[in-house]
Amino acid sequence: MTNSYGWDAITKSYDLGDSKFILWFGSNDAEMHPITHAWMRKRKEVVKSTWVVIDPRMTPTAFAADLWVPVKPGTDMALAYGMIHHIIAQNLYDKEFVAKWVEGFDELRKFVNDKGYSPDWAAKITGIPADTIKKMAVKYATIKPAAIFTNAGI
C-alpha cells in the first residue's frame, strides 16, 4: 500500500491507477479515502479494470465494484490462504518474480499444502463458494497488472 497514485516517470504508468484487476480486501476506500477513491474510480473507467471487494458489508466501495464477496467477519486470512493454495497448485504464480524477489516461497507452499488450505477448506470457513475463491485467485494471478488494497477497514 505504499505505491503511488500519480504518474511514475520510471515505469511510465499511473502505478495503482493502471491496475487492471484490484482486490479491495476489507478496504472501504470510498469512505476512508474519498479523494483517492474518486480518482481510482476515474482510472477504473479509463483502464477498464475489474474490481472485487471482499467485505462482510455492502459498502460504497463494494457498490462500485464488479463483484462483492461478503466474507464472514474474521475469516479473511482463510480466504487468502485458499487463494494462495490455488495459485500455487495451478502453477499460476510468476516464477521469475518469485525467484528474484521472494524469500520463503517454498515454506509458504509447504505450509498451505500441509495444512490443507485449499479453496474447498476456505469455503467452509468463509462462506464463499470454492468456485468463487478459485476464480478470484486465477484472475488475480493472471491479469496484469493487479493490486490488492488492504488495512483500511474498521
Side-chain angles (χ1 to χ4, degrees), residues 102-123:
V102 178
E103 249 183 77
F105 184 79
D106 291 331
E107 291 84 354
L108 174 63
R109 177 197 328 258
K110 183 175 177 359
F111 176 75
V112 296
N113 286 332
D114 288 355
K115 295 286 187 178
Y117 289 158
S118 68
D120 291 325
W121 168 85

Side-chain angles (χ1 to χ4, degrees), residues 29-30 32-41:
D29 197 62
M32 302 313 295
H33 306 284
I35 294 170
T36 56
H37 187 77
W39 185 84
M40 288 296 290
R41 282 184 74 165

Side-chain angles (χ1 to χ4, degrees), residues 32-66:
M32 302 313 295
H33 306 284
I35 294 170
T36 56
H37 187 77
W39 185 84
M40 288 296 290
R41 282 184 74 165
K42 288 178 187 173
R43 291 301 302 164
K44 179 183 192 298
E45 297 305 315
V46 170
V47 177
K48 305 290 186 231
S49 66
T50 301
W51 287 8
V52 175
V53 171
I54 300 164
D55 198 306
R57 302 173 305 130
M58 172 52 92
T59 64
T61 306
F63 188 74
D66 300 284

Side-chain angles (χ1 to χ4, degrees), residues 25-26 54-56 69-83 117-119 121-129 133 136:
F25 221 109
I54 300 164
D55 198 306
V69 180
V71 66
K72 287 181 186 174
T75 66
D76 302 52
M77 201 65 227
L79 179 58
Y81 283 148
M83 291 176 66
Y117 289 158
S118 68
W121 168 85
K124 293 174 190 165
I125 294 169
T126 64
I128 306 304
I133 296 170
M136 285 191 303

Side-chain angles (χ1 to χ4, degrees), residues 4-5 14-19 22 39-40 43-44 47 49:
S4 66
Y5 292 88
Y14 281 102
D15 206 0
L16 290 172
D18 279 350
S19 296
I22 297 178
W39 185 84
M40 288 296 290
R43 291 301 302 164
K44 179 183 192 298
V47 177
S49 66

